Amino acid sequence: MMLNHLTIIDATDEMGVLAGHMFAQLGADVTRLVSAAGEVADPVWTRNVRTVALDDADLPALLQGADILLRNGPLSGVDPADHPHLIDVVLTPFAAIDRPSTDLTLMARSGLLHIGGDPDREPLRLPGQQAHALGAIQAVIGALTALHARKDKGQRVTVSAYQSAVLANYREPVMWDWAGKVGARTGNLLVRGKSGVNQVWKVADGWVTWALVDNPGMMRAMVALMRADDMAGPLAEVDWDTILVADLPQETLKAWEGVVAAFLATKSRTFLAEQSNRTGMGLSAIDQPDDVLSSPHHAARGAFEDFADPVSGRTIRVPGPLFQTSREGVR
């Protein structure tokens, strides 16, 4: 295991639990401290860690033997600075201010909530606790970076879940910094130049991604496939080497997309993905959850494993090891 030489003390709440889980998945010995009120985190993310009641824990002894401490705030009765070897990781909602937050409010403030969904409807939230997860991932990166530089002296790493979410929103902050513009939700449209083109398409047994873009090779490959079924219509006459799709009127693109939609609706995801891999037409099949869980490719790599969920009482499939190599016993 990559990190089986490390000892981690995880004193975070649900904003940070993924950090402890990631360390455990990489082989570290993780002890999670739980308050008297009980565990609040999803049991999926605490399944490979040791749990100790905070009131019963000998914190000075735990920290003395630890490499990394993960926390959201002060720990009663101890000062991490008294343990100079320790990598002290503090994950909070905001960097320098103390204010209430939830994953939803952090997502909204970061701008990630603003860009999801259709333009004529309310914002569409990503599933799960995304801002908390992004903060936890940055906490792991910060901890390992500090550990690499530690030698005989520990460091404090401070991470803001809000800033982590902002950094994940690569487009809107850059647009504001450089153009002074606030972006708008575009839904299923990929906006380039004057117009927008569809990105997700309904096919006979599900959905695929593809778009009318300025890539002559992709366009010719799609049209050739459509012509084989005599369904290319006006697209058969287009010179893709001389036309600029991004400058076409929206009405023209909509008419062309109607032709493409009629063709795609007659084909399966598997057929289209195979043709795309063979001809380079830039199409990808969109997996359904069952496709992901039953994939032979994922099964061969142990991407998912069974977990007896104590909440529902069911056995569910959950993500397996973060990394796995072909070397025996190494994950």
Side-chain angles (χ1 to χ4, degrees), residues 1-324:
M1 304 290 278
M2 292 182 181
L3 302 182
N4 58 4
H5 60 294
L6 295 182
T7 299
I8 316 294
I9 304 301
D10 180 7
T12 63
D13 56 21
E14 60 182 354
M15 184 181 61
V17 63
L18 180 61
H21 173 74
M22 291 177 70
F23 276 118
Q25 289 287 79
L26 292 171
D29 182 351
V30 180
T31 298
R32 181 164 176 80
L33 304 180
V34 180
S35 69
E39 179 63 85
V40 297
D42 190 324
V44 168
W45 307 125
T46 60
R47 67 186 189 274
N48 293 325
V49 305
R50 181 186 307 105
T51 300
V52 175
L54 184 59
D55 292 343
D56 299 332
D58 185 346
L59 288 181
L62 287 174
L63 296 185
Q64 186 61 38
D67 296 289
I68 297 171
L69 168 65
L70 305 169
R71 61 190 178 99
N72 300 124
L75 291 179
S76 178
V78 295
D79 183 354
D82 293 337
H83 303 270
H85 68 288
L86 191 66
I87 304 300
D88 179 24
V89 183
V90 185
L91 172 60
T92 58
F94 301 96
I97 54 176
D98 182 16
R99 65 174 60 169
S101 76
T102 64
D103 185 81
L104 178 60
T105 60
L106 292 171
M107 289 289 287
R109 289 181 64 88
S110 74
L112 282 173
L113 194 63
H114 170 72
I115 62 176
D118 294 323
D120 58 343
R121 299 184 63 184
E122 64 278 0
L124 183 62
R125 182 186 181 187
L126 295 170
Q129 305 290 307
Q130 292 290 333
H132 290 177
L134 290 166
I137 291 168
Q138 294 294 340
V140 171
I141 294 171
L144 292 177
T145 302
L147 190 69
H148 179 71
R150 176 175 66 171
K151 295 184 179 179
D152 296 324
K153 185 177 181 180
Q155 298 187 45
R156 173 168 293 176
V157 177
T158 58
V159 179
S160 159
Y162 163 67
Q163 290 181 342
S164 300
V166 171
L167 290 172
N169 186 2
Y170 71 95
R171 189 186 73 181
E172 305 309 307
V174 172
M175 183 182 297
W176 175 255
D177 282 346
W178 288 90
K181 295 180 180 179
V182 177
R185 289 189 294 281
T186 58
N188 189 30
L189 290 182
L190 173 65
V191 179
R192 295 287 187 270
K194 298 178 181 178
S195 305
V197 292
N198 284 337
Q199 300 179 87
V200 179
W201 303 77
K202 184 76 173 68
V203 298
D205 61 347
W207 303 85
V208 299
T209 63
W210 185 81
L212 275 160
V213 293
D214 289 304
N215 185 316
M218 282 175 50
M219 297 304 103
R220 283 194 292 267
M222 174 62 82
V223 172
L225 193 62
M226 297 171 68
R227 291 181 70 170
D229 284 4
D230 196 23
M231 296 184 71
L235 298 181
E237 308 302 323
V238 177
D239 183 353
W240 300 104
D241 289 314
T242 60
I243 197 170
L244 189 61
V245 175
D247 282 347
L248 291 176
Q250 191 72 60
E251 294 77 13
T252 300
L253 291 175
K254 285 297 181 185
W256 288 2
E257 287 180 337
V259 177
V260 174
F263 168 74
L264 293 178
T266 68
K267 306 299 180 185
S268 70
R269 291 177 298 159
T270 300
F271 171 81
L272 290 168
E274 289 174 349
Q275 292 299 312
S276 181
N277 291 338
R278 185 176 65 82
T279 64
M281 65 186 188
L283 177 145
S284 297
I286 298 177
D287 282 343
Q288 303 290 342
D290 285 345
D291 298 323
V292 176
L293 294 175
S294 62
S295 163
H297 176 85
H298 291 157
R301 287 155 181 79
F304 295 93
E305 58 190 25
D306 289 337
F307 172 64
D309 180 18
V311 177
S312 66
R314 298 183 297 112
T315 297
I316 60 177
R317 299 287 285 168
V318 299
L322 289 176
F323 300 98
Q324 189 161 274

